[in-house]
Amino acid sequence: MTLTLRSFGTSDRGLIRSGNQDALYAGTWLVAVADGMGGMAAGDLASSIAIDSVAPLDAETPEDALVAALQSGIQLTTARIQQAVSEDPERQGMGTTLTALLFARTGSCLALAHVGDSRAYLFREGVVKQVTRDDTFVQMLVDQGVITPDQASSHPRRAVVTQALQGDDVSPTYATMVPWAGDRWLLCSDGLSNVVRPDTLAEVLAAYPDRAACGRKLIDLALHAGGPDNITAIVADVVEE
């Protein structure tokens, strides 16, 4: 028995924004979400640089090389953003989040890389768990016990990220996990997670076995909640082959 990844990704600009600064990659071995920031054109550019930089990782990778591969993708993103800013100083301050999951060719392991406030959720045996930790000001307040997670969801500074890929040195979070057959992963931008509660995410992930239908339902829920931001969702299933 070999475990493989099957994914579907979709994105919507939402109901308020004039364009979409999110970018995604949903492949055979790699899934990734990037949410650009720093002005319309620059945000578009930063997120596309991130996805273009990690897309070549969608290949058969040995288990012991997963984290190193993701590290190289983030280093390349940083260098390319730095170059883009040097070519046009008006791009100064542009950046992007990145949450990426890379599956080993053996199916025995996966690695996750994360910077910013896009998220990865694992839905396993009927329970949804947020695997990533937001690099945000309000998450720092939650960690310090200043506010509760519920208060964080409506805090006026909830969109303030404490680190992103902007051409400077960053400290991404890396993790490895053992996949189980039947696992379902959701990678999303904050345009979804800020307006749809985790228990609702769990309900949809359970109710829609078809990945495309599941992804579209999640987008619809975010739009129904006002769609104040760009919305991106990737649904990825771990299946036996």
Side-chain angles (χ1 to χ4, degrees):
M1 178 192 75
T2 302
L3 298 180
T4 59
L5 200 65
R6 295 289 179 266
S7 65
F8 172 84
T10 184
S11 188
D12 192 285
R13 69 180 176 87
L15 301 177
I16 306 296
R17 300 292 177 90
S18 59
N20 194 343
Q21 297 186 75
D22 288 358
L24 67 90
Y25 186 91
T28 303
W29 308 97
L30 173 80
V31 290
V33 168
D35 180 354
M37 63 193 74
M40 191 59 241
D44 282 355
L45 179 60
S47 61
S48 65
I49 286 174
I51 294 301
D52 289 346
S53 297
V54 299
L57 303 180
D58 188 20
E60 295 188 8
T61 305
E63 180 178 325
D64 60 1
L66 294 175
V67 171
L70 289 170
Q71 288 173 329
S72 70
I74 286 180
Q75 289 167 357
L76 182 57
T77 300
T78 297
R80 287 178 171 175
I81 289 177
Q82 193 174 54
Q83 180 181 354
V85 172
S86 68
E87 291 171 354
D88 184 354
E90 290 189 2
R91 294 169 175 160
Q92 184 67 43
M94 80 173 187
T96 182
T97 70
L98 180 66
T99 300
L101 187 155
L102 183 61
F103 208 73
R105 68 185 181 195
T106 58
S108 58
C109 185
L110 60 83
L112 190 70
H114 171 74
V115 181
D117 63 352
S118 297
R119 290 182 178 179
Y121 293 92
L122 172 60
F123 183 68
R124 174 180 283 178
E125 296 187 331
V127 178
V128 71
K129 176 186 178 183
Q130 182 183 335
V131 178
T132 53
R133 176 190 173 279
D134 295 344
D135 291 320
T136 58
F137 175 73
V138 294
Q139 182 62 54
M140 185 175 65
L141 295 181
V142 171
D143 293 345
Q144 294 172 350
V146 176
I147 62 173
T148 67
D150 278 347
Q151 290 171 329
S153 65
S154 59
H155 195 282
R157 297 187 67 188
R158 65 184 180 276
V160 177
V161 296
T162 52
Q163 69 168 355
L165 300 177
Q166 295 181 283
D168 303 320
D169 289 339
V170 292
S171 300
T173 300
Y174 298 98
T176 57
M177 296 180 63
V178 176
W180 292 9
D183 283 352
R184 170 165 277 192
W185 285 87
L186 169 64
L187 270 62
C188 66
S189 62
D190 65 341
L192 177 64
S193 57
N194 276 350
V195 296
V196 181
R197 292 179 58 86
D199 56 347
T200 303
L201 295 178
E203 291 172 6
V204 175
L205 292 170
Y208 291 82
D210 180 78
R211 287 178 290 279
C214 184
R216 286 191 287 267
K217 178 63 176 179
L218 292 169
I219 297 288
D220 287 345
L221 286 173
L223 292 172
H224 185 70
D229 200 353
N230 305 146
I231 314 153
T232 297
I234 297 176
V235 179
D237 292 326
V238 179
V239 300
E240 295 180 358
E241 191 174 72

